[in-house]
Amino acid sequence: MPSELMDLMHGIQELADARPDYDRAQAYYEGEVPEVFASSRIRRALRANDIDFDLNFAKTAVNAVVDRLEVAAITSPDKTVNDLIAKLWDDNNLALELPDLHRRGCEYGDAYLICLPFVDDNGTVLRVEMFYNSPQTVRIIYSQENPRLKEFAIKRWVDGCYRRVELYYPDRIERWTTKKNASGKDEADWEHWLAGPDEDTGEVDPESWIIEHDWGEIPVFHYRTDRPYGVPEHFGAYGPQNAINKLQSTHMGTVDYQGFPQRYALTEAATTDTSDLEPGDWDDADFPPDDRGMGPSDSGDDSSLKAGPGELMLLRGFKAVGQFDAAQPAVFLDPIIFNVRAMAQITTTPTWMFDPSGEQPSGQSVRGQDAGFTRKICNRQLSFGSTHREAFVFSLRQLGVEDPMVDVRWVPAETVDTQEGWQTVGEKIRNGVPRKQALMEAGYRAEQVDEWLEGVDDAELSRRVGILAAVADSAQKLGAAAALGVVTSEQVQALLTGALSDIELLAGVEAKT
């Protein structure tokens, strides 16, 4: 194999090998996984009628993490650099791009951000484009000797009757294309993807398939939940979700029997006369509808058994009648609940996030249930935040900043907002824990705490914590009152809004005095 084709074919093979797992993760997230039935007859019946009763709980394991991954700010101590960060943010609409990047990173386990500088004719960088790419089409190949070292990155896509590939290196980008309608599986299918003819000379540069640059870095940045490649957040939910799909579909199959029980009649063989009975009480499949679109079972004359005052039910030739009881719903619902709990345990997701009733535990019980989940969120913030920093440092260097400092801050994975939580903060402070440390352990950022503590002594802080605990206690009790119907939710909101406004006003007066 020619040396220039080795990386190309290796990258294509890596993409092909990884693609099924990413497709599977996508299917489970979107709820497109078919039920597994031992009976081929049942499989055919469900497929023929396009029946879908799926309860997609696996998606919750992904969304629960994504909802906690909110970037608070990306900043720099240098004002000029801050202005450039703001430009990158606005130029690339990162307020929408980053949440989608986080979601895909959690859904697939991997996601990629490509950052490409765009220059004018004089070589001046006008902007840097930062955009998400799916791991189904992009992959970074790492060194076997040093797994943290990127050897190159590959991006593959279909363009009409051609297949295109770009290989990214620290000093160049190689562009490849297949011959028309070629599959791209063989080396002979690929050739250099040359740029168009020169506007002045009309000639094609035979070396234009290579774009040289001096970036010194591969412009592809890898967001991942593990190393070297990630694992979907809902990977552990695949098995329980399969069980739930099967149980739910089977349960829905029994609903017909609960609404329309299957009946039976025991006959005396010598005396049975069924000449007056219509064939098939409930099945009109063999009887085409009349001009009014009605079948035999729509006529009201299907059976001699008529219920009503003064009606006589005549049973000729039958010695006993009855019906078969359908399976009880608990036979299916109880195992579904078990599998949901198993899914929560395996994916380290709080059980209450899967609760269809919408009931959320309150107080310290939530913090206890969320402990493992919060640690997972912190790990994701650490991993994704490091990659955010790398991408912004690279982009700022292309804009002319030699050694930029970038700070990525997240909205806390967990903050104290209950009476028990604020009472705990107060107890820590009263027992000697530094004020800043106690508030940071409550989930608030260091710069927030510094701003709050400026000019505030221990006594004042203790008083403020007490007020917050009282407000949290009142909110909890008013919420319970609203649930009981004693007050309306609008009244509760008005009361709390008024109380908070009074507290803010009082704080402002005290600050002036």
Side-chain angles (χ1 to χ4, degrees), residues 451-508:
E451 182 179 350
W452 294 342
L453 294 183
E454 186 176 358
V456 178
D457 58 20
D458 288 343
E460 174 61 16
L461 179 63
S462 178
R463 188 180 71 86
R464 292 185 183 183
V465 169
I467 291 174
L468 289 171
V471 170
D473 181 43
S474 299
Q476 186 174 355
K477 291 178 179 178
L478 286 171
L484 294 172
V486 178
V487 294
T488 65
S489 57
E490 291 78 10
Q491 289 174 321
V492 171
Q493 185 175 3
L495 287 169
L496 289 175
T497 301
L500 291 172
S501 298
D502 291 342
I503 293 172
E504 290 176 357
L505 180 61
L506 179 60

Side-chain angles (χ1 to χ4, degrees), residues 367-384:
R367 296 176 65 84
Q369 288 188 37
D370 287 7
F373 180 67
T374 301
R375 284 193 295 272
K376 180 167 74 169
I377 299 299
C378 292
N379 288 336
R380 299 296 177 266
Q381 290 178 346
L382 182 63
S383 175
F384 286 14

Side-chain angles (χ1 to χ4, degrees), residues 365-480:
S365 61
V366 173
R367 296 176 65 84
Q369 288 188 37
D370 287 7
F373 180 67
T374 301
R375 284 193 295 272
K376 180 167 74 169
I377 299 299
C378 292
N379 288 336
R380 299 296 177 266
Q381 290 178 346
L382 182 63
S383 175
F384 286 14
S386 175
T387 309
H388 281 324
R389 190 175 298 107
E390 291 176 11
F392 272 87
V393 166
F394 170 84
S395 300
L396 290 167
R397 283 175 177 162
Q398 307 317 306
L399 293 173
V401 183
E402 290 187 4
D403 191 17
M405 294 184 62
V406 176
D407 181 27
V408 179
R409 285 170 284 175
W410 297 87
V411 172
E414 181 185 38
T415 56
V416 170
D417 56 2
T418 63
Q419 178 195 12
E420 295 94 335
W422 283 113
Q423 287 176 342
T424 301
V425 172
E427 287 297 324
K428 286 182 178 180
I429 294 172
R430 283 189 288 273
N431 283 280
V433 176
R435 299 176 296 169
K436 182 175 181 178
Q437 180 65 28
L439 290 172
M440 288 180 64
E441 288 178 359
Y444 295 96
R445 301 194 306 273
E447 60 273 15
Q448 287 179 311
V449 176
D450 289 339
E451 182 179 350
W452 294 342
L453 294 183
E454 186 176 358
V456 178
D457 58 20
D458 288 343
E460 174 61 16
L461 179 63
S462 178
R463 188 180 71 86
R464 292 185 183 183
V465 169
I467 291 174
L468 289 171
V471 170
D473 181 43
S474 299
Q476 186 174 355
K477 291 178 179 178
L478 286 171

